[in-house]
Amino acid sequence: TCNYAVDHKKYKTTIGKNVFVGSDSQFVAPVTVGDNAIIGSGSTITKDVPAGALGVARSRQTVVEDYAERIQKKEKE
């Protein structure tokens, strides 16, 4: 869980009973996850997830062709 905000206050994350949390997930407090909810792997949860619901928060993958080559070229200039 990610509990501290810019204001240096500590916020609470509440995770209900029988919740399944997929690998590499983060909860940005304050959030509440209800009983029997499911959190998709790789999600960053920033809003409450109701009981029995599926919470998934991932961006679509973007592929930028030749990006590394362009960056290396700029560094040489």
Side-chain angles (χ1 to χ4, degrees), residues 10-69:
K10 189 170 184 178
Y11 294 92
K12 186 175 183 177
T13 295
T14 303
I15 301 173
K17 295 179 181 179
N18 301 312
V19 171
F20 177 84
V21 179
S23 299
D24 197 29
S25 295
Q26 303 83 40
F27 298 96
V28 181
V31 292
T32 298
V33 180
D35 295 343
N36 301 307
I38 298 172
I39 305 301
S41 295
S43 292
T44 300
I45 302 299
T46 59
K47 297 180 183 177
D48 292 349
V49 179
L54 168 65
V56 179
R58 291 182 275 184
S59 296
R60 280 202 159 89
Q61 179 174 323
T62 301
V63 176
V64 180
E65 296 288 339
D66 302 317
Y67 181 79
E69 184 178 311

